Amino acid sequence: MLLEDLKNFLTTGFSDDQAVSVLAAVNSLVNSQRTHDLGREMVIRCLAKKDLFPPGLMPLLASLVGSVGLIPYLSKDVSTFEEQLLLEAHRTPSIGKVDFFHTLQLQIYRELRAKRNVVLSATTSVGKSAIVDAIIASGDHKHLAIIVPTIALIDETRRRIIESFGARYAIVTHPTQVSSRDQATVFVLTQERALNRDDLQDVSFFVIDEFYKLDLQMEKSIERAVDLNLCFHKLASYGAQFYLIGPHVDGVNGLASTYEFLFLPSHFSTIALDIVQYGLPKDGGEREEKLIELCQELISPTLIFCQSPGSAKRAAETLLNVEGLLPETDLTWSAVEWLEKEYPEEWVVTHALRRGVGIHHGSIPRALQQYMVKAFETGAIKFLICTSTLIEGVNTVAENVIIFDKRIKTTGIDYFTFRNIAGRAGRMRRYFVGKVYVLEEQPEPDTCVIEVAVGTQSETTPMSLLLGLEDDDLTPGSKTRVETITRESPLSAETLRANRRVPVEKQYDIYDAIWRDTSLLGKPLAWRGMPDSPQLLAVCTLIFDYLDSGILKGYQIFSGKQLQATLYSVENSKSFREVTENFVEYRRRTDSVSDAVELSLRFLRKYVGYTFPQSLMAISHIQGDVLRKIGVEPGNYEFYAAKTESLFMERGLFALDEYGIPLETAMRIAPVDREFPTLDSAIELIARMDARGVDLTKFERDLIDDLRASLLS
């Protein structure tokens, strides 16, 4: 039977008489080394049509399933002793919902148990996380670290681990949590958080999820890639065993000279993909028409990938404007009720959710992002419009993926990224065949080799990476570069290292500006704790003039004085809605209310809570060098930086957003006479509070109950 005929049968169906020929053709593919992977795909497609096979052929299908290593798909009620042995050989330790490994998982598990370092490069559906859970269950390691690319992934990972190991391991996710050497611990951290901890020396096994981000060219933010390299180096230098996991790549450079490891680039997959290309132009409306058409036809869970929050908004509005396409649903009413209370009613997220459509991107508050994913998994919403924030690592259950854009921001996606997006279609045991609809054209296949920056130092290696390494870890050329800059710099080596994320030239400009303006050489910069108005204005002016003007202009902030006023507004507002409504009132004429809402959310999360504290501490380190040279006690801005990082909330309450509790709810439930300096103190509040005594909506009560349930797992 020709391959084309076989695929046709497994797509459209076949008769009892044709079933024998189908299995015979699949068997031929499976038994040839050259076509074995293709044979596995055809076995998966057979499983999707399992009901069409006569009962007498089921043992043959089961035999094919076993021969391609898809052991979890074998029935537990196997018919032969040999099949029972096969199942038992692939049985997992006690790790929750997964009972059996497939053959690739078993191979990796055995390699890791043998204390080998492993770099696994495989499709999204392979089940890499189950191996992590199995290693935890083995008890070989008392302290483990899992490095995830986003904060959004922390709580998902925490919930999975606590479900199986909460009684045996402490789970540490937040900077305010402390660990004990005597307590078995799993650290679940982003690279930034791992770098800032000094209690990871006892970690003997660590995982880096989405390891391709070690390549400076593969991560959207070079500085995040630098941090990931330094995080890997920090943990590996302690002698810890590593397990790097990510999508399929063709090679890895930069590790072999220092570490022994097994690189496993595998095409093993537990699902099959049908990819349909439409080749529609970027502009002209044809993509929007096709999106509407597909959403009218598809009845199972569907991800719609967009290049940016703005594109996600346009895609949502395209669907919402079609009369009768998306009727209102009762399944999301409690969330909609809460959104209408906390945000201007024109926000597209509220309108979309009312009609059973979720929106997930970086400007959406984290607790709402988590809700969107859970609502999608439970079927409360059928369509989830998303950007790369969801594609990169968050587990979802979708049969279909519509690739609306073939860009991320303004850059065209490469074949590697395309495969990563497409790999979100289908789900082991639920959707055997994922459907991918590409509205434009998919990129041409190419090779992808990951260059681990810390191990491939060159003249172009960012100074921010080199400054984060010890001398012994630098190549001769890198050591010369570092020695030159530290020798010639007016700034101390400590300041250069602390400010490694800030270009050296900008630091010199700030240093010179402080020296030139003698009015700054004293009280305006030499403050600690909370600054008074002249002090905050002084640092805001330096930040605007030398560090963040390009970013701030995007938020309609055009001077240090405006930045100061906006920070005061955030600090003194009774609610975040006040901040949002201020953005709405003073929005650009070309911006909608929905645009202004998302701009305010982006400003709070990405600027006030992230960029500003970093810029502030860069100024703090530089003024310290200057003032010490003239014999003046320098300032220290750590306290105020921590305040802005948590949007002037109690730090523990602010952290609840990562665990699925919105900031607005956290403020509402907190007694005014208590402080919550740590995540654990806020978690204790959640665990012990009597929600009946607090004015909460059903949505908020459900979120609190969900968090409580995860704490008790």
Side-chain angles (χ1 to χ4, degrees):
M1 181 182 296
L2 295 175
L3 180 60
E4 185 177 343
D5 294 332
L6 176 60
K7 285 185 175 180
N8 186 56
F9 279 132
L10 292 175
T11 300
T12 61
F14 46 85
S15 65
D16 286 0
D17 293 338
Q18 294 166 326
V20 175
S21 299
V22 167
L23 289 182
V26 173
N27 186 61
S28 296
L29 294 172
V30 168
N31 288 330
S32 169
Q33 184 176 1
R34 182 175 59 85
T35 59
H36 185 75
D37 287 340
L38 179 59
R40 183 186 304 107
E41 178 190 335
M42 294 303 120
V43 170
I44 294 168
R45 293 181 182 275
C46 286
L47 290 171
K49 298 292 184 181
K50 187 176 180 179
D51 294 343
L52 296 182
F53 288 100
L57 292 179
M58 296 310 294
L60 177 55
L61 177 56
S63 176
L64 286 170
V65 170
S67 67
V68 296
L70 295 169
I71 311 304
Y73 285 153
L74 283 176
S75 169
K76 295 180 183 178
D77 301 320
V78 292
S79 58
T80 69
F81 179 67
E82 289 78 9
E83 288 175 343
Q84 183 63 49
L85 285 177
L86 187 64
L87 274 177
E88 290 304 316
H90 288 77
R91 186 177 292 277
T92 68
S94 179
I95 54 173
K97 300 175 183 177
V98 180
D99 296 320
F100 301 100
F101 286 135
H102 54 64
T103 52
L104 178 62
Q105 288 174 315
L106 182 61
Q107 176 191 0
I108 297 159
Y109 176 67
R110 287 175 172 170
E111 295 288 352
L112 292 173
R113 289 297 305 278
K115 306 301 182 185
R116 295 186 181 91
N117 298 316
V118 174
V119 179
L120 174 61
S121 162
T123 60
T124 302
S125 66
V126 130
K128 310 176 190 80
S129 296
I131 304 167
V132 177
D133 294 354
I135 292 297
I136 298 173
S138 73
D140 290 349
H141 305 277
K142 187 175 180 180
H143 296 88
L144 308 90
I146 302 173
I147 309 303
V148 295
T150 63
I151 289 176
L153 270 171
I154 287 178
D155 193 49
E156 176 186 316
T157 307
R158 177 194 69 86
R159 287 171 181 259
R160 189 189 82 235
I161 293 173
I162 205 170
E163 184 176 355
S164 297
F165 311 110
R168 293 168 51 192
Y169 286 85
I171 315 296
V172 173
T173 67
H174 194 262
T176 61
Q177 293 176 294
V178 296
S179 67
S180 167
R181 301 188 73 170
D182 297 328
Q183 170 68 54
T185 304
V186 179
F187 297 90
V188 184
L189 308 165
T190 59
Q191 56 261 43
E192 294 87 356
R193 291 185 177 181
L195 283 176
N196 288 326
R197 296 194 73 96
D198 58 6
D199 57 355
L200 302 181
Q201 297 91 335
D202 294 327
V203 167
S204 59
F205 179 87
F206 71 96
V207 181
I208 289 185
D209 193 8
E210 309 290 348
F211 77 87
Y212 67 89
K213 293 175 178 287
L214 287 163
D215 190 317
L216 301 181
Q217 304 302 315
M218 300 295 287
E219 166 61 75
K220 295 187 290 292
S221 165
I222 288 181
E223 290 312 320
R224 294 212 72 217
V226 166
D227 284 350
L228 187 59
N229 274 269
L230 293 174
C231 175
F232 168 80
H233 178 74
K234 173 181 178 177
L235 292 168
S237 66
Y238 293 149
Q241 179 187 2
F242 59 79
Y243 173 41
L244 311 186
I245 55 180
H248 180 81
V249 297
D250 300 288
V252 177
N253 294 333
L255 293 180
S257 61
T258 308
Y259 306 100
E260 291 185 5
F261 67 98
L262 175 65
F263 175 52
L264 283 174
S266 177
H267 290 286
F268 192 104
S269 182
T270 58
I271 55 100
L273 290 180
D274 285 336
I275 299 177
V276 181
Q277 292 190 70
Y278 294 101
L280 302 176
K282 174 186 174 184
D283 302 312
E286 291 182 63
R287 285 188 305 140
E288 287 77 7
E289 292 174 6
K290 180 56 68 174
L291 176 64
I292 293 169
E293 179 185 323
L294 288 171
C295 291
Q296 288 170 330
E297 297 172 356
L298 298 173
I299 60 174
S300 54
T302 302
L303 290 175
I304 302 170
F305 172 77
C306 297
Q307 70 184 62
S308 64
S311 178
K313 172 176 172 285
R314 289 190 294 273
E317 290 174 340
T318 295
L319 298 178
L320 294 173
N321 289 335
V322 179
E323 188 173 353
L325 174 61
L326 301 169
E328 292 190 10
T329 174
D330 292 334
L331 298 176
T332 58
W333 74 266
S334 64
V336 170
E337 175 191 51
W338 183 84
L339 285 168
E340 290 175 337
K341 176 183 176 184
E342 300 294 346
Y343 297 93
E345 62 180 1
E346 295 91 339
W347 192 19
V348 67
V349 170
T350 306
H351 291 293
L353 201 57
R354 186 183 292 116
R355 309 264 286 275
V357 177
I359 300 177
H360 187 295
H361 55 68
S363 298
I364 306 289
R366 292 190 184 100
L368 278 179
Q369 290 181 16
Q370 290 190 31
Y371 168 78
M372 296 293 181
V373 173
K374 291 172 186 172
F376 187 64
E377 290 176 343
T378 60
I381 57 178
K382 185 173 74 172
F383 300 107
L384 183 54
I385 302 172
C386 66
T387 62
S388 58
T389 56
L390 180 68
I391 295 300
E392 295 173 347
V394 177
N395 288 316
T396 52
V397 181
E399 182 173 16
N400 316 299
V401 170
I402 299 173
I403 302 181
F404 185 66
D405 297 303
K406 68 170 187 178
R407 290 157 295 281
I408 294 179
K409 293 186 178 178
T410 58
T411 304
I413 60 175
D414 54 20
Y415 187 65
F416 169 84
T417 305
F418 167 77
R419 287 185 303 179
N420 202 12
I421 297 168
R424 296 293 161 182
R427 184 68 176 260
M428 189 174 179
R429 297 187 186 89
R430 189 157 173 183
Y431 300 113
F432 291 103
V433 181
K435 311 291 196 308
V436 183
Y437 303 92
V438 188
L439 301 195
E440 296 183 66
E441 293 180 351
Q442 74 177 58
E444 290 296 321
D446 57 12
T447 58
C448 179
V449 177
I450 300 303
E451 302 284 340
V452 179
V454 72
T456 54
Q457 297 173 35
S458 69
E459 293 180 357
T460 61
T461 299
M463 187 58 66
S464 57
L465 174 56
L466 303 183
L467 286 169
L469 298 173
E470 299 295 331
D471 284 350
D472 291 345
D473 302 316
L474 298 170
T475 64
S478 296
K479 186 178 293 187
T480 298
R481 289 178 62 195
V482 171
E483 288 174 349
T484 299
I485 198 168
T486 54
R487 182 176 62 251
E488 297 177 354
S489 175
L491 297 171
S492 66
E494 292 76 17
T495 291
L496 289 172
R497 289 191 170 89
N499 287 353
R500 60 181 178 77
R501 294 183 180 90
V502 180
V504 172
E505 295 76 14
K506 288 188 175 183
Q507 294 187 60
Y508 292 169
D509 289 342
I510 296 168
Y511 177 89
D512 291 340
I514 295 173
W515 270 114
R516 287 196 309 269
D517 188 348
T518 56
S519 67
L520 295 176
L521 298 177
K523 184 180 177 182
L525 294 182
W527 54 269
R528 294 167 181 258
M530 296 294 287
D532 61 25
S533 180
Q535 290 167 341
L536 182 58
L537 177 60
V539 293
C540 284
T541 300
L542 288 171
I543 287 172
F544 182 87
D545 289 349
Y546 297 101
L547 294 176
D548 298 341
S549 62
I551 298 171
L552 289 167
K553 288 175 183 177
Y555 296 114
Q556 297 292 285
I557 294 173
F558 298 100
S559 68
K561 191 172 185 63
Q562 270 190 287
L563 174 58
Q564 177 197 36
T566 307
L567 290 172
Y568 278 145
S569 174
V570 174
E571 180 182 359
N572 297 318
S573 293
K574 295 179 181 179
S575 69
F576 292 120
R577 178 158 187 163
E578 287 186 18
V579 178
T580 296
E581 288 178 339
N582 190 56
F583 270 77
V584 169
E585 182 178 357
Y586 295 103
R587 69 187 185 274
R588 304 181 189 91
R589 287 181 296 175
T590 55
D591 284 354
S592 66
V593 170
S594 189
D595 292 330
V597 170
E598 295 192 359
L599 187 66
S600 72
L601 293 173
R602 191 158 59 249
F603 175 71
L604 288 171
R605 177 175 167 182
K606 294 191 174 182
Y607 187 76
V608 179
Y610 182 73
T611 302
F612 177 81
Q614 290 190 345
S615 297
L616 180 66
M617 288 310 299
I619 301 290
S620 182
H621 296 134
I622 295 170
Q623 62 82 28
D625 276 6
V626 174
L627 296 187
R628 273 188 288 268
K629 287 182 178 180
I630 62 172
V632 174
E633 181 70 21
N636 186 318
Y637 307 161
E638 287 183 5
F639 182 81
Y640 190 69
K643 281 289 188 182
T644 59
E645 197 171 44
S646 58
L647 303 183
F648 300 99
M649 288 179 61
E650 287 283 334
R651 200 173 182 193
L653 295 176
F654 182 77
L656 287 176
D657 190 42
E658 299 176 18
Y659 279 34
I661 305 300
L663 299 179
E664 295 85 351
T665 305
M667 289 190 290
R668 195 169 292 126
I669 65 176
V672 295
D673 58 345
R674 284 182 56 189
E675 294 182 349
F676 298 90
T678 67
L679 172 62
D680 288 340
S681 65
I683 290 293
E684 183 181 9
L685 169 69
I686 292 288
R688 297 187 178 185
M689 68 176 286
D690 182 357
R692 293 172 299 180
V694 185
D695 182 18
L696 299 174
T697 66
K698 181 182 184 304
F699 176 68
E700 292 171 311
R701 293 177 189 276
D702 288 346
L703 294 179
I704 289 172
D705 288 344
D706 180 64
L707 176 55
R708 279 174 163 169
S710 79
L711 299 174
L712 298 173
S713 296

